[in-house]
Amino acid sequence: MRNSKGQNAALRTRLLTCGATAAIATACAFAVPVMAQDTAAAPAPAEDTTTIVVTGIRRGIQDAISAKKKSSQIVEAVSAEDIGKLPDASIAESIARLPGIAAQRTNGRAQSLSIRGLGPDYTVTTLNGREQVSTGDNRSVEFDQYPSELISQVLIYKTPNAGMTTQGIAGTADLQTVRPLAYGKRAAAINVRGELNSEDAAIGGMKNSGNRYSLMYIDQFANKTIGLALGYAHTDSPYQVQKKEPWGDGGYPTCSACLPEDQDLLILGGAKDGIISSNLKRDGYMGVLEWKPNDQLHMTLDAYHSDFRELQKIARIEYPLAWGDNHLAAGYTAGNTFVTHGVFNDVTAIVENYTNDRKAALDAVGLNTQYQLNDNWDLMADLSYSKVERDDIILESTAGTGFNKSGAKDTVTFDTPDEYGLSTLSGVVDYSNFDTIFLTDPGGWGGPVGRAGYVKAPHIEDELTSIKLAATRHMNNVFSSISFGYTGTHRQKDKKGVEGFITLPTGTQAVVPEKYRMGVTDATFLGGSSGMISYDSLAMWNDGYFGFVQDVSQDSVKRTWNVDERIDVAFIKADLDTELFGFPLTGNIGVQSQHAKQTAKSYFTDGTATGTKLKSESADYTDILPSANFNFALADDMTLRLGAGVTIARPRMDDMAAGVGYGAISDGNQPVQFGGNSYYWSGSGGNPTLKPWKATAVDISWEKYFGRKGYVSIAGFHKTLNSYIFNQTVLRDYTGAALPANADPALYTQATANRIGTVSVMQNGSGGWIKGLEATVSVPGDIVTPYLDGFGLIVSAAFNDSEINPSGTNPIDLPGLSKKVINTTIYYEKYGFSARLSNRYRGDFLGEVPDYTNSLQSRYVAAESLLDAQLGYEFQGGGLKGLSLSFSATNITNEPFKLYTKGNKNNVMRHEVYGSTYLFGVNYKFF
């Protein structure tokens, strides 16, 4: 059954991939004849006073094409089908359908994006043109914070523009809310949707159904000189995860316990398989107020607020196997790569009930004023402020048959397929009995007496203020206008990383109190276990049942940091409007000067109270960033775009933290050798002097439009990464640092006298290059033949490659780069009926994925192909006009999310399945 599903998925991927490639090739082959057809003289149309209003899928497509066509840069766009109706359940999923863009799933949801093979760290996300703070630990925006119902359009700028003072190496994603005066009429919409996940919620107290509803109102007053838009969106969304995860990033050591002839085979070192039941709740509020009393003055005030909570409950059983204090029984089965079947005796299992509770509040407000001073001069001022506060409780609670491996031992049978190391386990101990499974430290992991787990409670505050001032001089020569101005931003991000051990009031072990029991969690996903005890560890923490002992180790202390940035940008940009070689030429040229001053604070620590002190370091630097965009109108509706520029992406904030964990070192009572010299100190930590990633990019794009209905494009790009951030070992002065208490006494004298040592930190160095080719076809059926009226096809394919050798070191993989990304959408819309079938294929890539504590780690992600569908009907007249019904399904084939070991895709690091999500909605638009 599993093999059949895998074969079907692989076949589907091949068919969609081949179909996409064939569609692009066919469209490109027929592009010239169609263009000739467009430019040929056509008979005068018959007089028709009927106004045709396009709505639904086709309206969203046409608005997006119009935005792409009018832009002075290479840009991709997605637009709402109507007010409150972006085509997908999340913004990230909508953006991920655009050419050259791919999404990474987190717990089943598209959450972060890669643009042109570059991961989230290289992209800037803005709201109405203003940079946004992030609920994450760094700069990359988590799109879960922005309801799709409140966004009218998303623009992805792939080339720089000197007038855009916030832009990344990969590109800039600008989320836009509706502008009521531009909308031009009164409108209101109500959208209600029910949500269901195909997988049952296995953990007590959780659910697999949810709901979403939104309200949107747009109006104009005072003879349309005042515009108002108000929106509210509520989301209550469940998701389920079944996870298989070997120990130790692949978890397959060689089999030292096997017979001599089998000792090179891989065997399961341990497993921490589990299930996750989660719920995301979000309330988003949007408001826009416009005032345009005359042709000279236009003011826009917009605000956004969201309250966000994600509750995640995790149940899993950890089995230490080849790496544990147990024994492989005789009679195992040897395959070609793995020990494919065997039994481990004397296994001490750990029953875990974990809870991740994340709460975040986000506020963003901006005021834009545009004033036409006279026929020649325009002035603009933009003020903005955004802030986020986030609090997490990441609670790890452990249970087992007894303290420090003293309880009953299990006999565990494992099966590992030789072609794909996804193991199935089954034990004989009953883990569902509250009388025999105790709260305790079953593995003897140490720490305080009575330790029963670990808790992290980080608090994040991210605050950003910005002012932009600009003036534009209109001209009537080669340049249509020249703009110049200044932008100043101040950003502070603060993380307080409190964490430590949780302890029990009754000593080394305790029975779960009756009032916190949540029944038995189904654990049959393991292969044979019937269940495991389930209890509300978060309620126990909130009620003060657990004690707390703070962790003062180096890794814990360094998680508290603060970064303060001030960025001053001066820019000048000239807009082109002329001819070159007989072709109309538009576009822009310009340059920015960005001056940054950054200060980072963190702890310099040896892991003891006496050896810990706050450290503050600063840096300032200037980057000169030229840019140019040239757009040649080759023929009617045919454009050749050329872009070039230098762009930057600011370093990760956790890499900038000033803190270092250190120690006095020795290697067999000898100093460690580095660069041919001896050193007695070493450490690792952050680097406040980090400068941005920097790239020089060249882009080209050929685009043929069929009015607003469709287009064909081919684009290519090459980016040289001039400055690349990577981990290096360098020298550091440890003068003033306390000598660690655990230092080798034989080296005290040398370590005291020789304070120069090594430190492992992120540093700037040279990088390499990334290049790619993109092709897109968006064609409605009626331009091919009248028989296909109502049908349409959108296909895009991106092929990327890179070579990254940081400062001449060995080649590394670029995070976020998939060599192949193909998006395919087939749609139908006519007589009120609409249907859409979409597939997103993404090749293997190096991603940043959260571990069970939500900390990001770099892991190789296997290729995936996601199939989504949407059906709808809108009443065209009568008393139900304005009412529409919709049904959508995402991840229809339940595509797994797979992590693997570099160089060996059969060596599984993690395998997750999420189920399919179904949404049934009712939308009513009136006025």
Side-chain angles (χ1 to χ4, degrees):
M1 186 75 174
R2 181 175 295 165
N3 290 337
S4 175
K5 287 179 66 177
Q7 292 169 358
N8 290 339
L11 178 60
R12 182 188 71 250
T13 299
R14 288 197 297 270
L15 288 174
L16 287 167
T17 302
C18 294
T21 305
I24 292 172
T26 303
C28 292
F30 284 97
V32 173
V34 172
M35 286 182 275
Q37 197 174 23
D38 283 352
T39 56
E47 184 177 346
D48 186 359
T49 59
T50 303
T51 300
I52 300 176
V53 179
V54 179
T55 61
I57 294 174
R58 286 187 294 173
R59 173 178 173 174
I61 293 172
Q62 290 188 13
D63 286 349
I65 290 174
S66 180
K68 178 179 177 67
K69 183 178 179 181
K70 294 177 181 178
S71 177
S72 63
Q73 301 162 247
I74 298 176
V75 68
E76 308 296 345
V78 59
S79 295
E81 298 173 1
D82 210 331
I83 60 170
K85 289 179 65 178
L86 208 65
D88 292 281
S90 78
I91 294 173
E93 289 171 346
S94 294
I95 300 174
R97 301 192 194 286
L98 296 175
I101 301 172
Q104 178 183 310
R105 291 189 291 171
T106 299
N107 296 319
R109 302 192 311 276
Q111 188 178 70
S112 60
L113 297 172
S114 293
I115 300 177
R116 289 184 155 179
L118 290 160
D121 290 333
Y122 306 94
T123 300
V124 171
T125 301
T126 59
L127 178 65
N128 294 321
R130 306 178 184 106
E131 185 177 1
Q132 293 298 289
V133 292
S134 170
T135 54
D137 285 3
N138 283 289
R139 304 176 192 273
S140 57
V141 166
E142 296 178 341
F143 288 94
D144 287 341
Q145 299 296 320
Y146 301 93
S148 60
E149 296 89 345
L150 301 184
I151 302 299
S152 63
Q153 190 173 70
V154 182
L155 296 175
I156 306 294
Y157 294 95
K158 293 181 174 178
T159 57
N161 173 337
M164 293 173 56
T165 52
T166 53
Q167 48 198 354
I169 287 178
T172 303
D174 185 32
L175 315 181
Q176 298 182 351
T177 55
V178 68
R179 290 295 179 254
L181 291 182
Y183 194 82
K185 59 184 178 180
R186 177 188 297 178
I190 301 174
N191 190 356
V192 180
R193 289 184 286 179
E195 180 175 348
L196 179 69
N197 189 276
S198 63
E199 302 296 316
D200 292 333
I203 297 179
M206 304 301 287
K207 59 183 182 179
N208 72 333
S209 62
N211 59 78
R212 303 175 183 219
Y213 51 85
S214 63
L215 306 171
M216 181 73 79
Y217 174 75
I218 303 172
D219 209 345
Q220 301 81 33
F221 308 94
N223 198 26
K224 293 193 175 182
T225 62
I226 297 176
L228 177 68
L230 298 172
Y232 166 71
H234 170 80
T235 298
D236 184 350
S237 177
Y239 58 90
Q240 316 298 326
V241 183
Q242 290 190 9
K243 180 187 296 188
K244 288 185 174 292
E245 185 175 8
W247 270 11
D249 291 349
Y252 296 96
T254 55
C255 187
S256 60
C258 289
L259 296 173
E261 61 269 24
D262 297 327
Q263 289 186 359
D264 289 336
L265 294 177
L266 300 177
I267 188 169
L268 187 62
K272 44 186 179 182
D273 299 346
I275 52 176
I276 302 173
S277 287
S278 303
N279 194 71
L280 181 155
K281 288 187 177 181
R282 178 191 59 213
D283 290 290
Y285 306 83
M286 179 275 295
V288 181
L289 179 64
E290 282 188 284
W291 183 43
K292 190 175 182 181
N294 49 53
D295 291 338
Q296 286 75 43
L297 180 63
H298 187 186
M299 300 183 71
T300 305
L301 175 67
D302 56 80
Y304 174 74
H305 171 80
S306 77
D307 287 309
F308 177 95
R309 184 187 183 188
E310 185 175 19
L311 180 63
Q312 185 180 80
K313 289 188 174 292
I314 305 169
R316 69 183 192 184
I317 300 178
E318 285 204 47
Y319 289 112
L321 298 176
W323 281 328
D325 297 330
N326 41 63
H327 307 91
L328 177 65
Y332 62 85
T333 303
N336 295 320
T337 303
F338 296 95
V339 177
T340 58
H341 173 81
V343 175
F344 279 98
N345 297 314
D346 303 320
V347 176
T348 299
I350 297 96
V351 177
E352 297 164 339
N353 280 252
Y354 289 0
T355 301
N356 295 336
D357 188 16
R358 169 172 289 192
K359 298 177 182 178
L362 172 66
D363 292 286
V365 61
L367 174 63
N368 182 273
T369 301
Q370 300 181 44
Y371 184 70
Q372 183 179 344
L373 188 64
N374 51 46
D375 290 341
N376 295 324
W377 285 95
D378 292 339
L379 305 177
M380 188 276 292
D382 190 273
L383 307 175
S384 64
Y385 172 82
S386 61
K387 182 178 181 179
V388 69
E389 290 194 45
R390 187 195 99 205
D391 286 285
D392 288 0
I393 296 291
I394 304 169
L395 186 65
E396 309 167 20
S397 175
T398 57
T401 57
F403 175 72
N404 194 15
K405 308 179 184 180
S406 63
K409 301 297 191 293
D410 205 348
T411 298
V412 178
T413 301
F414 70 93
D415 290 278
T416 304
D418 207 29
E419 69 279 3
Y420 181 58
L422 185 63
S423 301
T424 300
L425 301 94
S426 110
V428 298
V429 172
D430 180 8
Y431 297 104
S432 65
N433 189 338
F434 280 96
D435 294 327
T436 58
I437 304 300
F438 308 102
L439 298 171
T440 187
D441 179 1
W445 289 331
V449 174
R451 171 183 171 175
Y454 199 82
V455 64
K456 297 181 180 181
H459 174 77
I460 290 281
E461 290 188 17
D462 195 356
E463 190 171 14
L464 188 150
T465 57
S466 178
I467 179 172
K468 182 175 181 178
L469 304 172
T472 300
R473 173 70 162 89
H474 296 282
M475 309 173 74
N476 190 20
N477 47 44
V478 173
F479 301 114
S480 60
S481 64
I482 294 180
S483 302
F484 56 90
Y486 162 81
T487 297
T489 62
H490 180 209
R491 184 171 189 174
Q492 295 185 83
K493 189 150 193 167
D494 186 83
K495 180 177 182 180
K496 294 181 174 63
V498 179
E499 59 187 80
F501 306 97
I502 62 174
T503 60
L504 297 172
T506 54
T508 57
Q509 65 183 45
V511 174
V512 177
E514 188 76 31
K515 69 175 182 177
Y516 298 118
R517 298 181 184 183
M518 298 172 61
V520 176
T521 293
D522 182 1
T524 54
F525 65 92
L526 292 172
S529 300
S530 59
M532 56 183 287
I533 64 170
S534 180
Y535 52 94
D536 193 345
S537 57
L538 181 61
M540 298 169 75
W541 171 260
N542 290 334
D543 290 348
Y545 176 84
F546 294 120
F548 175 72
V549 177
Q550 186 165 352
D551 187 356
V552 294
S553 65
Q554 294 183 12
D555 287 342
S556 174
V557 170
K558 287 192 300 180
R559 293 191 181 102
T560 293
W561 48 262
N562 170 275
V563 173
D564 186 291
E565 286 183 336
R566 294 182 183 271
I567 313 295
D568 294 295
V569 182
F571 70 91
I572 184 169
K573 175 177 71 79
D575 292 316
L576 294 163
D577 188 2
T578 185
E579 285 192 3
L580 186 64
F581 307 123
F583 296 105
L585 170 64
T586 58
N588 52 73
I589 58 175
V591 65
Q592 291 181 12
S593 172
Q594 292 201 12
H595 179 76
K597 184 175 182 179
Q598 59 197 38
T599 300
K601 299 177 183 178
S602 188
Y603 286 96
F604 193 81
T605 179
D606 67 348
T608 66
T610 57
T612 298
K613 64 178 181 179
L614 188 65
K615 186 79 171 179
S616 177
E617 296 182 53
S618 300
D620 64 273
Y621 50 87
T622 300
D623 289 296
I624 305 299
L625 309 175
S627 62
N629 292 277
F630 303 111
N631 307 307
F632 294 92
L634 302 181
D636 289 344
D637 279 347
M638 186 192 297
T639 301
L640 177 67
R641 302 183 190 269
L642 301 174
V646 178
T647 54
I648 61 174
R650 302 213 168 274
R652 290 169 56 107
M653 288 181 164
D654 56 356
D655 288 341
M656 295 168 61
V660 168
Y662 68 91
I665 60 172
S666 65
D667 182 7
N669 289 330
Q670 297 297 320
V672 170
Q673 301 298 307
F674 175 73
N677 296 310
S678 300
Y679 297 99
Y680 297 89
W681 296 79
S682 73
S684 64
N687 182 3
T689 66
L690 275 180
K691 294 181 180 180
W693 288 283
K694 181 181 286 188
T696 301
V698 179
D699 293 78
I700 184 170
S701 177
W702 173 84
E703 301 163 6
K704 165 59 187 171
Y705 293 90
F706 311 122
R708 292 179 60 217
K709 289 185 175 182
Y711 75 97
V712 177
S713 74
I714 300 176
F717 70 92
H718 186 284
K719 297 178 187 287
T720 300
L721 298 175
N722 305 309
S723 176
Y724 191 80
I725 299 173
F726 65 105
N727 189 270
Q728 302 176 57
T729 298
V730 295
L731 297 180
R732 182 183 182 112
D733 188 347
Y734 288 88
T735 299
L739 190 68
N742 61 352
D744 188 339
L747 299 178
Y748 271 13
T749 302
Q750 295 92 329
T752 302
N754 301 283
R755 289 291 182 145
I756 302 298
T758 64
V759 64
S760 176
V761 295
M762 303 301 285
Q763 292 276 116
N764 293 99
S766 61
W769 53 261
I770 176 174
K771 62 183 178 181
L773 179 67
E774 301 166 354
T776 306
V777 175
S778 177
V779 182
D782 60 355
I783 74 168
V784 178
T785 171
Y787 297 108
L788 293 178
D789 184 35
F791 288 94
L793 172 70
I794 305 173
V795 182
S796 67
F799 306 94
N800 304 308
D801 196 10
S802 72
E803 183 177 294
I804 308 298
N805 302 83
S807 296
T809 62
N810 293 328
I812 64 172
D813 294 304
L814 187 63
L817 185 138
S818 294
K819 289 185 177 295
K820 183 189 298 184
V821 177
I822 298 178
N823 298 320
T824 307
T825 296
I826 301 171
Y827 64 89
Y828 173 82
E829 188 172 49
K830 197 172 184 180
Y831 308 122
F833 290 97
S834 63
R836 172 178 61 81
L837 184 67
S838 299
N839 180 262
R840 302 198 317 262
Y841 170 82
R842 180 177 190 179
D844 303 339
F845 67 100
L846 177 63
E848 288 187 337
V849 298
D851 61 14
Y852 66 94
T853 68
N854 283 335
S855 298
L856 293 179
Q857 50 188 347
S858 296
R859 297 292 182 266
Y860 287 90
V861 183
E864 61 183 15
S865 183
L866 303 176
L867 190 65
D868 303 334
Q870 175 183 314
L871 298 172
Y873 179 74
E874 181 177 357
F875 292 89
Q876 303 289 291
L880 295 179
K881 184 178 180 179
L883 179 68
S884 61
L885 308 176
S886 65
F887 173 78
S888 63
T890 60
N891 193 26
I892 295 173
T893 57
N894 197 11
E895 182 82 352
F897 180 77
K898 298 180 287 188
L899 308 182
Y900 63 89
T901 304
K902 182 179 182 180
N904 186 357
K905 294 182 181 180
N906 294 331
N907 205 0
V908 180
M909 297 173 64
R910 191 188 304 175
H911 184 284
E912 298 179 352
V913 292
Y914 309 116
S916 305
T917 299
Y918 306 104
L919 290 167
F920 176 77
V922 178
N923 180 275
Y924 182 60
K925 177 185 174 184
F926 46 98
F927 298 133

